[in-house]
Amino acid sequence: MTDSRTLHGVNGLLICVLLILFNGTSVDTSEGGVGGDIDDCLNNNCSGNGNCSDRVNGFYCYCNDGYYGITCDIEAGPCSPNPCENNGTCFQDENNLVYCNCTSEFEGERCESEKPPKIFTVTLTIIDRIFVDDYKDLTKSLTLGLIEDLNSIFKPFLEQNFDGFSTIVFTGFFQGSVGAIFDVIFAATSEINATSIVKAFSRANGTNQLRFVLLGTIKAVNKLHTSTGATDSLVTESSSELEPWIIALIVFLIIFAILLVVIVILVVSLVMDNFLPLQTL
Ligand SMILES: *[C@@H]1O[C@H](CO)[C@@H](O)[C@H](O)[C@H]1NC(C)=O
Ligand SMILES: *[C@@H]1O[C@H](CO)[C@@H](O)[C@H](O)[C@H]1NC(C)=O
Ligand SMILES: *[C@@H]1O[C@H](CO)[C@@H](O)[C@H](O)[C@H]1NC(C)=O
Ligand SMILES: *[C@@H]1O[C@H](CO)[C@@H](O)[C@H](O)[C@H]1NC(C)=O
Ligand SMILES: *[C@@H]1O[C@H](CO)[C@@H](O)[C@H](O)[C@H]1NC(C)=O
Ligand SMILES: *[C@@H]1O[C@H](CO)[C@@H](O)[C@H](O)[C@H]1NC(C)=O
């Protein structure tokens, strides 16, 4: 067994190369073995906390209870090894209870779950678009065209205004001129809230940034987000020019619907009264 760990300078390098050529085996100068194995445990006492076992080009430490790590150099404890997952920081309080301080992307007692994205449902009305019936069906080509048109405006707008903006998904359109309902999705770490969304849209109303004029109500609702349950916050900012008109229309439609149902019931019962006896004959 040759120990050649103290090879120096150019001479050392030369000898080293020659030895490689001669022996046909690799030389690991840090390990010091040439053409064979050395007892790696000679230089390793496993930090005095375990038993060393020699391996070819290495060693293995069997650690005593209470220690771990490659050289048994880490003392085990409630925070060691770290019980917190995903780079959470472990800390102990004065009662020796263990807690995890999670990074901003994770949550849970042991930081085991990734935080869900933040999703807001936004409803607004654009006046410089004409509503067509096709818009009620999201798969129609006219609707897909509208979505593409709106995406080309909304996406840059949202990217500019909000950190962590991820994507936008249109979920429906309604009459008036074109009312749009869409989900805006942000990274879990985003500081976004419903108020700031409504404010951004109001600020951009009619400017080059948004390129169209909004009427009526801008609404943003925080969709389900914590793992413990849904917390909804409703923020409404309105410039209520259309609102009384819309309310009147809705009331009228409801009354009309009720009347229609009553009439249908009356007609049906009349028809039944007239024809039932005939049928039973
Ligand atoms: C183990 O080795 C380190 C240095 O290699 C030395 O400082 C330490 O005192 C040794 N521990 C025991 C228990 O021999
Ligand atoms: C280390 O060796 C001693 C003596 O052979 C033995 O009593 C002890 O159990 C060993 N420790 C471990 C962790 O294997
Ligand atoms: C944890 O931190 C390391 C080093 O900083 C990094 O490479 C790794 O991606 C992080 N893991 C997670 C889940 O954040
Ligand atoms: C948890 O992390 C936050 C932010 O990284 C830090 O301000 C706080 O002091 C940490 N708490 C503990 C108990 O380490
Ligand atoms: C919403 O975010 C804005 C800007 O980030 C902040 O000033 C405001 O206090 C937040 N509002 C709520 C209700 O958290
Ligand atoms: C947008 O601006 C128009 C006129 O410039 C105004 O009539 C309308 O109320 C504004 N809408 C909102 C939601 O602020």
Side-chain angles (χ1 to χ4, degrees):
M1 203 172 278
T2 323
D3 193 341
S4 61
R5 94 191 48 213
T6 48
L7 296 175
H8 291 294
V10 178
N11 280 344
L13 203 64
L14 203 63
I15 295 168
C16 194
V17 168
L18 285 173
L19 281 172
I20 293 171
L21 291 174
F22 191 70
N23 275 332
T25 51
S26 70
V27 177
D28 181 349
T29 49
S30 69
E31 272 295 325
V34 175
D37 193 28
I38 58 149
D39 186 357
D40 295 279
C41 285
L42 286 176
N43 315 305
N44 200 308
N45 59 11
C46 297
S47 311
N49 302 319
N51 297 338
C52 185
S53 165
D54 188 33
R55 297 281 191 270
V56 177
N57 262 332
F59 61 87
Y60 186 85
C61 282
Y62 294 95
C63 301
N64 299 333
D65 282 352
Y67 294 92
Y68 69 100
I70 291 167
T71 57
C72 307
D73 54 334
I74 309 171
E75 200 169 344
C79 278
S80 171
N82 185 0
C84 311
E85 295 169 41
N86 299 308
N87 288 348
T89 317
C90 177
F91 64 93
Q92 249 178 297
D93 69 4
E94 54 275 15
N95 301 317
N96 280 339
L97 290 173
V98 167
Y99 299 96
C100 289
N101 210 1
C102 305
T103 61
S104 53
E105 293 95 346
F106 294 91
E107 62 186 4
E109 211 172 318
R110 293 287 176 262
C111 311
E112 68 279 4
S113 39
E114 197 170 347
K115 281 189 193 166
K118 292 189 173 147
I119 307 176
F120 294 87
T121 302
V122 179
T123 310
L124 49 74
T125 307
I126 301 160
I127 64 160
D128 28 16
R129 295 286 186 286
I130 310 286
F131 187 84
V132 294
D133 261 354
D134 273 9
Y135 289 168
K136 289 178 187 160
D137 182 346
L138 289 175
T139 61
K140 288 267 167 73
S141 65
L142 271 181
T143 317
L144 295 175
L146 175 69
I147 289 175
E148 199 179 325
D149 173 19
L150 294 182
N151 266 334
S152 73
I153 297 169
F154 281 128
K155 278 187 174 169
F157 166 71
L158 290 163
E159 266 159 20
Q160 256 175 42
N161 280 273
F162 300 106
D163 282 342
F165 165 70
S166 154
T167 191
I168 176 171
V169 179
F170 286 88
T171 54
F173 296 100
F174 55 90
Q175 187 109 38
S177 304
V178 174
I181 306 170
F182 52 90
D183 286 346
V184 206
I185 301 160
F186 299 89
T189 49
S190 165
E191 299 283 316
I192 194 83
N193 61 42
T195 318
S196 49
I197 294 176
V198 170
K199 280 196 174 142
F201 274 105
S202 298
R203 253 199 325 269
N205 177 24
T207 70
N208 278 343
Q209 223 186 8
L210 214 48
R211 288 190 266 150
F212 49 67
V213 175
L214 303 167
L215 270 190
T217 309
I218 306 170
K219 224 165 43 169
V221 179
N222 190 346
K223 257 190 169 177
L224 75 151
H225 80 128
T226 56
S227 54
T228 49
T231 50
D232 277 5
S233 67
L234 179 71
V235 173
T236 305
E237 194 164 283
S238 84
S239 66
S240 50
E241 268 166 76
L242 278 186
E243 215 155 41
W245 181 80
I246 290 172
I247 291 169
L249 182 72
I250 290 169
V251 169
F252 171 78
L253 284 176
I254 290 170
I255 291 170
F256 181 76
I258 291 170
L259 279 175
L260 202 68
V261 167
V262 168
I263 289 167
V264 165
I265 289 171
L266 278 175
V267 168
V268 165
S269 63
L270 275 175
V271 169
M272 297 290 249
D273 281 351
N274 287 340
F275 289 99
L276 263 182
L278 283 178
Q279 278 171 355
T280 47
L281 279 176

